[in-house]
Structures are given as structure tokens and as C-alpha cells.
Amino acid sequence: MIYGAQKGREAVPLRLLAALWLFVSAALIWSGWSHVGTLAGWDPDDALRLVQLRDFLNGQSWFDTTQYRMNPPDGAPMHWSRLIELPLAIIIILLRPLFGQESAEIIAGTAVPLLLLGWITYMLSRVATQISSREAGVAAALITLSSGALLLQLRPMRIDHHGWQLAMAVLALSTIFWTELRKAGIILGLALAIWLHISLEGAPMTAAFFLLLGVRWIGDVREGARLFWTILSFALFTALLFLGTQADGFYAATFCDTVSPPHLAAIACAALIMLPAVHLQPDSLKIRLLAAALSGGGALAILFLWAPQCAGGAFGQLDPLVREYWYSKVTEGLPIWHQPWRAIVTLAAGLLAGAISWAILNARLGGSKRHQLGTIGYFLLFGVLLSILVVRTISVATAFAIPVTATLVALLFRQYRQSKTARHRIGLVVVILLLLVPGAAVSSLIRAIPEGTRSGNQNAKAADESCQSAASVRALAALPKGTIFTTFDIGPSILAQTPHRILASSHHRNEQAMRDHIQIFRSAPDAAHRLMKARGISYMAICPAETELAFYARKDPQGLWAQMAKGKMPPWLEPVGVLGQGIKVWRVRE
């Protein structure tokens, strides 16, 4: 059986989608202006992406992503691709002569994430329309534009790569329902190649797509066309993207956090086995099984024989001290059980709504609709499992849930129109609203649950956010140019808002500098001073309520920061004063 969407369904009017998108975009710009107008972004990755973009526009090589104002004089190696910087760079280059550099950056940082939001809304609306109805398409647009899990990655100045990962995931899903198999395969391969190029976090879901297509082909040789073009497109575009961003080409160094020569060899092995096998259309089920097993096994063998260090993932070889003090504290990369329950319940509400909707629809639908529902259910299940293990992948899983939830909303809406009793209609309206905005509903319920006496913690958090704000950090620019020692998360903002240098940030390839950063905070004051001098540190700038500092104080009571927190200031730190909104600054004496 050839799987695809039914043709001929009336699409949701683009004018309606555009109007909804414009309304939400305006609301996001207005509500987030403090992050947009100051070019602060929403986290350290946004700030560092802006710095990397500026360096590129100021003449740094396309092939060189080293951050030279971090870990001076050598610089900090970065694993980020420049690919997603192209749209930002083009907009800035076009608008800079008209509005100036800062305004051009604000416009670009606002436009790109919001355009991605609009594109994702359109694609999810199309998927829902294809598998259900026009009403489902409208519902999908409404859910997308109100989903907290998605808007966190697609709001203005969210210029890091997560929004692009989400867009490629949705594009890949949408192609599964296209009936033009060659076009569907080519675009699917391209989407997966871009996703993997942006981040190897896309590898598990890429495997899920190939697993689905492979199983379908094993079961029915007529399913080979989509698989053939997907493999060919994926292999070619992965190689092209790699060669287009690596100066050393196939001789580039091997890394486990981005596509490297061993990954290319593994993909080539799988393609060289599968492409002839699919093209020949073998009637024997055993031959198809053997080809699939050889391609998958061969690819894994090449990858792990060539790069055995990658068996532990991107962080498998991380320095133990850096792992303990930094990586284990990055909650977004940890399993769901390490997250604050209030935040995760709110974020997962859309996912839960999708899972419930799928169970209800699976019991009620049949025929081709059930096959299509089963396809989305497969990706939804895969997404849920990934979200449980790595919580930052929850946005992709939530996106996959939206067409399912929208389909149930459309079904309930039809029941509402047919209902004759007020009580039944009111009940249906309540359920529909809960499905459309599950996050808001859950958040409202959670607020009714007492948190206990945490006003002190909340005040400290507010003070820390104010201290680390872009406006606060800009005050450091008044200091003579030098290298500032600070906490991991505020470092990128210092690079973005001032001309100063820093030692390290939360970016793992700069491993030795990260280790020295940690050692300075945890070592006895005299040892910390020696490390600072060796690293050429000019200033120490601290927001005292930062969470990282509290960990040092608990973990290493004899260390530099623990002593400073007790008021025991080493004589080699000369107070400069309090700058910005609470940043304490010291000059490091020789």
C-alpha cells in the first residue's frame, strides 16, 4: 500500500493564517521587547550566536567559527554551523545602510524566528488539513500559535539553531503525507540533512524516519520510490553541506558533536547498499531484510570503528570535572525527572493533549485515516521517548502532536454543530478550549497549588535576572578593555554587549578553559590567583545571586568564591565598585 495524503481537500485560506500569525507576532514583539530592543536574546546561546554573526559580517572566514574573544589568545572552538546565520546576515547587510547596524540586527533577529513560526504554522495546518479537514487545519494553526513549547523556540531574538531544528522536523513530517513520491523523498532527505547539519541532536529522529520508510519497503516493495529518493537526497545534501562548511573537506578532524568524516562514511555505506537494493525491487522479503540489516549494521560498524569515542555521544569524552560542575547542571539536556515539575507539566501539556487525542481517534477512525494517524502516532511516540530522556527535544514532539490534537478538535466541533442540547454544547466548548490551549489551562491550575514560602528565592532570582540583563552588562563597557572572569552564563552577554574578552562560557569544545574557570572558583584563593594571572584575567565581574556561585559555595567551602561569599576578600582583588544593576567588579592585581 502506498501511503500518502488524500488530494482535493480545501486548504485553510492563507489570509486567515497570515492574520493569525501577524497578531501573534505583534504580541510576541510587544511582550518580549526588553529582550528584543536590547539585542539580549533569551539565553547565552542567542547572545553568542549574535557575536558569531557579527564576527562573520566583520570579515571572519566562513569556515572559521572560532570565538577569538573567548579563551584568549587562542580562542574557543565552536561547533555551530554558519548555515543558519545566512538569513540573518542577508537581512542585516540589506538594512544596515538604511537603519544602522543595531536596528538592522534587531529587525533581522525579530524577522527570522517569526518567519519560521509562520512557516511552521502553515506546514502543520497543511498536515492537519490533509489527514482530516479544513477545520482541523484552522485548529492546528491556533494550537501552533499558542503553544508555549514552540513559541519558546520561535519568539523574536531567538536566533539560535533550535527554531531551525523545529522547522526541519515539521518539514520532514509533512513530506510523509505527500503523494508525489520523488518530490517527497528529495525534500525529506534535504530536511533531514539540514537538521543533522545544524545539530546531531536530530540523529535519533532521522533514524526514526529511515526506520519507518525501511520497514514499509520491507513489507511492500512498491514503497521503494520514496525511500530511494530520500536516501539519495540525504546522502548528497549531507556531503554538500559538510564540504560547504569545512575548509579541510573530507580530511577535517573528527568530532562527536557535529557531522564529521566518520558520519559521512557511515551514511555513504548505507546508501551504497540500499540504493541498488531498492532500485532492483527484489521480490524476496529475505533479500530486502538482508539489505536493510547490512546497511544499518555496516553504517554503525564504520562509525564506531572509526570513531569509538562517539559511542558515548557528544559529551562522552567530557572532562570529569567539567561534567560534574557544568554538564550535570544543564537541566535542558537532562531527563524529564531532573526538571522542576511545574515547568515540565506546563511544557508537556500539548504533548499530553496530543497523546490523549491520538488514543481517542485511534479507537474511532478506520481506513486510510487510521493509517495516517498511525504514522503520526509513530513519530509522536518517538518524540515522547526522546523528550523523556532529553527534555529540550520536547518542542519537536509537541509539534508532531499538533495535527492529531487538531483532528480531534475538528471532530468535536462537528459534534458541537450537530448537538441540540445546551449542556452538551457547553461541555464540547470546554473540551475544545482545553485542547486548543492546554498549556494555559494547566498553568492556571498549577498556580492554584501553593508553592510554599519561596518569596526569598523569587526575589533573589529577580535580582539575578536584573543583574545579568543586557542593560546591566553594558555598563561593563566603561571599564578599560580587558579579559573579564565571570560565571558561564553571563559570559556571552559580555561578548555581545561590550568589547571585553572572557575566559569561558557554557560551550563544551572550550573544555580546558572551562576546567580552569571551574578551578578558579573552587581553588584556594592563592591558587586561584595563580590561575588568573596565567590566564591574563584583568577583572572579576559577578552577579552574586547566580546559581553557579551557590553550587561552588556548597561544594568547595575553602574555595575562592566560598571565601568571598563569607566576606573574606583576598588582597589581590581590588574593588572597582558595583556597575549596572548589581554587578560587583574587582580588578585583579598582579
Side-chain angles (χ1 to χ4, degrees), residues 149-162:
L150 270 62
L151 295 181
L152 282 174
Q153 308 298 351
L154 297 163
R155 48 191 169 171
M157 278 310 298
R158 187 68 171 121
I159 58 174
D160 192 30
H161 56 265
H162 297 292

Side-chain angles (χ1 to χ4, degrees), residues 12 59 62 110 243 311 316 330 368 379 510 512 538:
V12 178
W62 168 266
T110 300
L243 293 174
V330 183
S368 62
F379 289 113
N510 191 26
Q512 184 57 53
S538 311

Side-chain angles (χ1 to χ4, degrees), residues 69 113 120 162 167 200 265 366 374 398 431 443 503-504 520 528 550 566 570 579:
R69 287 199 292 138
I120 289 169
H162 297 292
L200 276 183
T398 300
V431 174
S443 179
L503 176 60
I520 289 172
K566 296 172 186 175
L579 300 183

Side-chain angles (χ1 to χ4, degrees), residues 133-145:
S133 63
R134 180 177 177 177
E135 290 79 9
V138 174
L142 292 172
I143 297 170
T144 302
L145 291 169

Side-chain angles (χ1 to χ4, degrees), residues 267-291:
I267 292 168
C269 171
L272 290 172
I273 293 172
M274 284 297 293
L275 287 175
V278 175
H279 181 70
L280 293 173
Q281 298 182 332
D283 291 329
S284 171
L285 176 64
K286 291 182 179 180
I287 292 178
R288 297 198 296 274
L289 275 170
L290 179 62

Side-chain angles (χ1 to χ4, degrees), residues 192-348:
L192 295 178
I194 294 175
W195 189 359
L196 211 61
H197 175 77
I198 293 170
S199 172
L200 276 183
E201 282 184 6
M205 196 59 75
T206 296
F209 276 94
F210 279 111
L211 178 61
L212 176 70
L213 298 186
V215 168
R216 285 182 174 179
W217 171 70
I218 291 170
D220 184 352
V221 73
R222 293 175 297 171
E223 286 290 327
R226 190 191 302 266
L227 176 60
F228 179 89
W229 289 106
T230 301
I231 294 172
L232 182 61
S233 171
F234 175 71
L236 290 176
F237 281 116
T238 299
L240 287 173
L241 288 168
F242 178 81
L243 293 174
T245 53
Q246 294 290 330
D248 295 330
F250 293 124
Y251 297 99
T254 294
F255 292 101
C256 300
D257 57 3
T258 188
V259 173
S260 295
H263 301 93
L264 292 179
I267 292 168
C269 171
L272 290 172
I273 293 172
M274 284 297 293
L275 287 175
V278 175
H279 181 70
L280 293 173
Q281 298 182 332
D283 291 329
S284 171
L285 176 64
K286 291 182 179 180
I287 292 178
R288 297 198 296 274
L289 275 170
L290 179 62
L294 285 175
S295 66
L300 289 174
I302 287 176
L303 177 60
F304 294 128
L305 286 174
W306 190 335
Q309 68 273 22
C310 294
F315 302 98
Q317 300 294 306
L318 196 64
D319 180 277
L321 186 70
V322 177
R323 177 180 293 278
E324 179 185 1
Y325 279 76
W326 171 70
Y327 183 64
S328 64
K329 304 294 180 292
V330 183
T331 55
E332 68 173 28
L334 297 177
I336 199 169
W337 51 86
H338 289 288
Q339 313 303 319
W341 75 268
R342 291 172 181 269
I344 200 60
V345 167
T346 302
L347 272 180

